[in-house]
């Protein structure tokens, strides 16, 4: 393994002793762990304009792949293609866990690299269509050096799937990190630091900010010693705000950013979705601001973003375009159908529809439009908008004076924006993934 200039030996030692997240390869017989950014339908919609088939030498780099969650999930989805996945990590112990997981599943489309991502420019690993870098850049002494290393092997049309920590949602975590550094002034080993952290967790008063925000973080509960150390004792850890990420990825590097929080999509970045079905006057002002400022405001209103998950793509054109008649709308992430939602709207007529979405916690009022329930009735994941609109136009109610395609797109947009904002409706071309 080559030695990169600026990664800390303490970071490497941590992940050799405490591979993260801790995984038992035998569990692969029982379940497949999914990783939100790495869902192929999501990647297709946000990174490749809905036109990716994933079956023409698609190449993926998982940079800082750890014990393999992202690698295994991507490889499993691409099992029946000629795609290639490169798993790179600085921890040999973590790679061994990931390798055993792949062996249990019989995955042969993964190549392994025991390296720091900072060494990528020195490696002969080719160019990639998609690069996963989840939970890594914020652990580098020079995060931009790490990002530049990734960009050096990204194809011009390629995309990044990134997760970095969120500043405001981790307020209590950083207070705990500061506290433990003060207490552990004489602790020299991982075990000594862990012992202190466990003792502290057992006596924290309810007034402590980490305790107050305990619903925002559970690594220390779910992942044992590895989780405690990664959350509270990491030697190299920083976080970002929405505005800082725009400044870095968009202003400095010219990349397009699409946020999508795990399980919630863009909803935590949309002010009116964070506020709920209320209509305070300031929302009118906020709604007129650029998207970037709206997202920064939503981050501060909600306070729940402990991490920022996003795609970084060459341009806004990388996102599948609403308004294209050739696009196929389809539901994803939940077992719900267009006809079911159409029936719900039929049973709840009115100019607005109050939607309480239990999986995301979002509660908003949505205008279903005049044609929304008819459009939804024909969404089956196979029909394009052109075909759906054609069927709406011959409905008995409309066939005498059928709406135009432009009218149907405009009318359905608020429903589409809602479902897409929580990543429950995506777009693709008919010939593309998923079939």
């Amino acid at each position: 393994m080559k030695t990169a200039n600026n990664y800390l030996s303490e970071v490497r030692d941590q992940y050799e002793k405490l591979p993260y997240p801790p995984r038992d390869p035998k569990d692969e017989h029982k379940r497949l762990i999914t990783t939100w950014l790495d869902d192929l339908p999501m990647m297709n919609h946000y990174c490749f304009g809905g036109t990716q088939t994933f079956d023409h030498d698609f190449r993926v780099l998982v940079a800082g792949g750890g014990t393999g969650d992202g690698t295994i999930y991507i490889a499993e989805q691409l099992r029946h293609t000629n795609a290639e996945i490169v798993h790179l990590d600085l921890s040999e112990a973590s790679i061994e866990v990931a390798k055993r997981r792949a062996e249990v599943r019989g995955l042969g489309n993964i190549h392994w690299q025991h390296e720091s991502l900072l060494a990528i420019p020195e490696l002969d690993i080719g160019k990639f269509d998609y690069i996963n870098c989840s939970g890594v850049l914020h652990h580098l002494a020079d995060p931009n050096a790490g990002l530049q290393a990734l960009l050096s092997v990204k194809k011009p049309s390629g995309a990044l799937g990134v997760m970095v920590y969120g500043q405001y949602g981790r307020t209590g975590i950083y207070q705990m990190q500061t506290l433990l550094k003060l207490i552990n002034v004489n602790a020299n080993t991982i075990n000594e630091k862990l012992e202190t952290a466990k003792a502290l967790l057992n006596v924290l008063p309810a007034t402590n900010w980490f305790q107050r925000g305990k619903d925002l973080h559970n690594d220390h509960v779910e992942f044992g010693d590895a989780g405690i150390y990664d959350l509270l004792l990491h030697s190299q850890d920083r976080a970002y705000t929405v505005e800082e990420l725009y400044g870095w990825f968009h202003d400095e590097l010219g990349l397009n950013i699409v946020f999508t929080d795990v399980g919630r999509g863009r909803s935590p970045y949309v002010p009116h979705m964070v506020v709920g079905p209320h209509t305070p006057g300031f929302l009118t002002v906020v709604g007129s601001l650029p998207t970037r400022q709206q997202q920064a405001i939503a981050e501060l209103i909600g306070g729940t973003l402990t991490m920022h998950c996003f795609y970084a793509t060459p341009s806004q054109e990388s996102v599948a375009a609403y308004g294209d008649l050739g696009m196929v709308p389809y539901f994803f992430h939940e077992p719900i159908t267009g006809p079911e939602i159409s029936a719900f709207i039929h049973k709840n007529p009115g100019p607005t529809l109050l939607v309480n979405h239990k999986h995301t916690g979002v509660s908003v009022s949505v205008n279903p439009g005049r044609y929304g329930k008819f459009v939804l009735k024909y969404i089956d994941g196979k029909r394009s908008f052109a075909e759906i609109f054609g069927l709406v136009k011959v409905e008995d109610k409309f066939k005498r004076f059928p709406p135009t395609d432009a009218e149907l797109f405009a009318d359905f947009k608020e429903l589409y924006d809602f479902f897409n904002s929580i990543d429950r409706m995506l777009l693709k071309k008919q010939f593309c993934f998923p079939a």
Side-chain angles (χ1 to χ4, degrees), residues 23 28 31-35 68-70 72-74 101 105:
R23 299 295 184 207
E28 297 304 315
R31 53 92 181 99
L32 172 65
I33 292 175
T34 62
T35 47
D69 284 0
I72 297 300
Y73 184 47
I74 295 171
R101 293 175 68 184
R105 289 188 168 273

Side-chain angles (χ1 to χ4, degrees), residues 255-332:
L255 296 171
N256 181 56
I257 295 178
V258 181
F259 289 107
T260 174
D261 191 55
V262 177
R264 299 189 294 173
R266 288 191 308 285
S267 64
Y269 296 88
V270 181
H272 80 268
M273 299 185 83
V274 176
V275 170
H278 316 288
T279 55
F282 69 79
L283 281 182
T284 302
V285 176
V286 170
S288 68
L289 298 173
T291 299
R292 171 177 180 165
Q293 290 175 251
Q294 292 189 45
Q295 292 177 336
I297 289 168
E299 178 186 20
L300 284 162
I301 293 175
T304 63
L305 287 163
T306 60
M307 58 185 178
H308 293 297
C309 298
F310 59 95
Y311 296 109
T313 65
S315 71
Q316 290 184 340
E317 283 67 43
S318 301
V319 181
Y322 180 77
D324 181 342
L325 285 167
M327 285 293 174
V328 175
Y330 63 101
F331 287 94
F332 191 56

Side-chain angles (χ1 to χ4, degrees), residues 345 348-355 364-373 411 414-415:
I345 296 175
N348 297 272
T352 60
L353 183 70
L354 179 61
V355 179
V364 294
S365 292
V366 180
N367 179 1
R370 183 183 181 192
Y371 307 107
K373 58 191 174 186
D411 184 81
E414 189 163 333
L415 275 175

